[in-house]
Amino acid sequence: MSDEIKRVKRELKFKGKIIDFYQDTMEINGDHTVIWDFIKHKGAAAVVPVTDEGKILMVRQYRNALERYTLEIPAGALDTADEPGITCASRELEEETGYRSENLEWLINLRTTVAFCNEKIEVFVAKNLIPSRQHLDEDEFIDLGAYTMEELKEKIYSGEIEDAKTVSALLAYEVKYCK
């Protein structure tokens, strides 16, 4: 293993709406250089919304990268890199599900793809849901459903749910809350 790795240059290759793509020139042990890709993301937050009956609200939406619909927990990007995750999670809960909660509890932090991206997702659990209304972004088309944890585990283990934040959050929720 290398004792010393340092970045000697970071070059912006593409600035996008959600991500910025860089190429980093890295020096390894002072004797050779390599080029590593780096994707900068301002961060995100997600929420596991739990109804009074113990069901979990999930959103079904089209994901361009996969060219299909996915079933996920509500989530979204931070408005700014310094926005508190709980603020974003609360906003996304209401925007995507039409419910709000004054009882969000931190569950876990996730790093989505540590090999080349710095994205961090803070995940919260929302209970005592209060009916409100959806405030979908102009490019969001979401179907809402309520599922038991058993139904969701079946969907995870059958491969229907593959989204890493959703799988991680649901299984963490089960371990922490479904004893």
Side-chain angles (χ1 to χ4, degrees):
M1 184 166 147
S2 298
D3 292 330
E4 187 177 331
I5 300 173
K6 73 177 187 179
R7 181 182 323 113
V8 293
K9 183 170 116 178
R10 173 166 282 169
E11 185 178 357
L12 179 64
K13 294 293 188 175
F14 174 79
K15 185 159 188 64
K17 179 179 173 188
I18 297 174
I19 62 163
D20 297 334
F21 175 75
Y22 295 85
Q23 282 193 325
D24 288 348
T25 303
M26 306 298 291
E27 185 177 275
I28 313 287
N29 288 333
D31 63 4
H32 70 281
T33 59
V34 294
I35 303 295
W36 287 349
D37 293 338
F38 170 64
I39 295 174
K40 184 177 182 181
H41 190 286
K42 63 185 166 187
V47 60
V48 178
V50 184
T51 68
D52 291 342
E53 298 78 28
K55 290 189 173 185
I56 297 172
L57 298 180
M58 300 285 289
V59 296
R60 183 176 178 273
Q61 58 188 326
Y62 187 81
R63 292 300 193 180
N64 183 54
L66 301 180
E67 297 180 334
R68 66 177 172 85
Y69 285 87
T70 63
L71 190 62
E72 305 173 34
I73 59 173
L78 303 178
D79 281 347
T80 61
D82 62 349
E83 178 183 29
I86 196 166
T87 302
C88 178
S90 181
R91 178 182 63 250
E92 292 298 326
L93 172 66
E94 187 169 17
E95 281 182 7
E96 294 188 2
T97 71
Y99 288 88
R100 58 186 184 82
S101 175
E102 295 174 6
N103 183 19
L104 268 69
E105 181 179 323
W106 178 85
L107 179 62
I108 54 174
N109 288 338
L110 304 170
R111 294 289 184 162
T112 57
T113 47
V114 297
F116 57 84
C117 182
N118 71 339
E119 182 183 24
K120 174 183 174 182
I121 302 176
E122 284 187 85
V123 182
F124 297 84
V125 173
K127 294 184 177 180
N128 304 317
L129 301 177
I130 302 162
S132 180
R133 68 177 189 84
Q134 282 182 315
H135 306 278
L136 298 177
D137 294 336
E138 67 180 29
D139 63 346
E140 284 183 310
F141 304 94
I142 290 176
D143 292 322
L144 186 65
Y147 301 84
T148 66
M149 193 62 221
E150 290 305 312
E151 290 171 320
L152 292 170
K153 284 192 304 185
E154 285 178 23
K155 291 177 183 305
I156 289 169
Y157 295 122
S158 72
E160 182 179 341
I161 296 177
E162 296 178 308
D163 174 57
K165 77 175 176 311
T166 298
V167 171
S168 300
L170 291 174
L171 296 179
Y173 169 80
E174 182 186 37
V175 168
K176 186 171 181 181
Y177 293 95
C178 302
K179 297 174 184 171

